[in-house]
């Protein structure tokens, strides 16, 4: 199933929220399996559709995890030594409420402070406005022979 | 190996770039295996350390992919019907050059326009400034008995 097909053409194709969670409970962001269970629990609570997941324990500490959703993805990187976790949630449908998921993530990881930034991804008018750095230079005008 | 351990305490813990690629070659963003090979090639070209990867083909079209790196992650979601791909690159070390990787991704997917936004993640001074929405309300003052 792909929840991302046929969005309204005038709307953004996706919504991307970056959550910086501070003063997390270090124990909750240290262990791969416990962190995976916590995040899968949050996604299930909000009725996200889990497609695949990858969680990796780093040495000496820190976990990276990604849950691929039919609605897009949730990723996390943790620094237990700083009580810090950086998450990002990308969705292409309005069925997942980013603010509600943010609250659940904060509770699940015992965070005392959260910074959130949210970005519209694939806004047609932004794409057409040609913002940002082009990957390739615009085609050069080639003078007509003899001009 | 974890490239994310022991960052300078005064610096951001990570850098997160969001790349919106427009007017991509639809064939290059339609097929899971071809897209996976292209992105793994870009990471190898830039000497990123690949830990795990997950790529999922959606029906009728679209691919979601995540490459977990020792340096953090690269994720992609594609809309071939719009010639659009949304990528994000998160790194916790300065060994990967986001601007150079952006150019390689644009070339690999045949993009004619790219919008990039880049965010510092886990800036200590931002964390201490208590920006954004707290996950939990501040503790309420409890009146003293008899007050």
């Amino acid at each position: 199933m792909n929840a991302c097909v046929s969005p309204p053409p005038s709307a953004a194709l996706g919504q991307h929220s970056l959550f910086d969670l501070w003063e997390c409970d270090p124990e909750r962001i240290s262990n791969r399996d416990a962190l995976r269970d916590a995040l899968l629990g949050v996604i299930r609570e909000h009725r996200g559709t889990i497609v695949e997941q990858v969680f990796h324990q780093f040495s000496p500490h820190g976990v990276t995890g990604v849950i691929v959703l039919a609605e897009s993805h949730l990723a996390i990187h943790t620094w237990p030594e700083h009580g810090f976790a950086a998450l990002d949630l990308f969705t292409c449908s309005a069925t997942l409420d980013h603010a509600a998921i943010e609250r659940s993530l904060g509770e699940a990881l015992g965070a005392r402070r959260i910074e959130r930034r949210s970005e519209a991804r694939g806004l047609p008018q932004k794409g057409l406005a040609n913002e940002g750095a082009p990957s390739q230079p615009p085609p050069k005008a080639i003078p007509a022979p003899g001009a």
Side-chain angles (χ1 to χ4, degrees), chain A residues 30-113:
Chain A
S30 297
N31 179 271
R32 181 191 66 180
D33 295 345
L35 188 66
R36 177 175 53 205
D37 291 348
L39 266 59
L40 290 172
V42 168
I43 293 298
R44 290 190 186 109
E45 173 193 345
H46 292 275
R47 299 175 186 250
T49 307
I50 297 162
V51 175
E52 294 188 53
Q53 45 90 5
V54 173
F55 280 74
H56 187 81
Q57 180 90 49
F58 285 105
S59 175
H61 36 57
V63 178
T64 281
V66 181
I67 302 173
V68 174
L69 305 169
E71 300 86 0
S72 289
H73 81 252
L74 174 67
I76 186 168
H77 304 284
T78 74
W79 283 260
E81 70 275 29
H82 296 291
F84 176 72
L87 294 100
D88 68 284
L89 174 66
F90 189 118
T91 63
C92 58
S93 84
T95 59
L96 293 178
D97 179 337
H98 285 219
I101 291 174
E102 175 190 344
R103 285 192 294 274
S104 296
L105 291 169
E107 289 166 12
L109 306 187
R112 294 181 59 86
R113 292 202 311 275

Side-chain angles (χ1 to χ4, degrees), chain A residues 4-5 16 18-19 29 42 44 74 81 89 97 122 126 144:
Chain A
C4 297
V5 170
H16 202 170
L18 315 184
F19 304 125
I29 61 172
V42 168
R44 290 190 186 109
L74 174 67
E81 70 275 29
L89 174 66
D97 179 337
K126 293 188 76 172

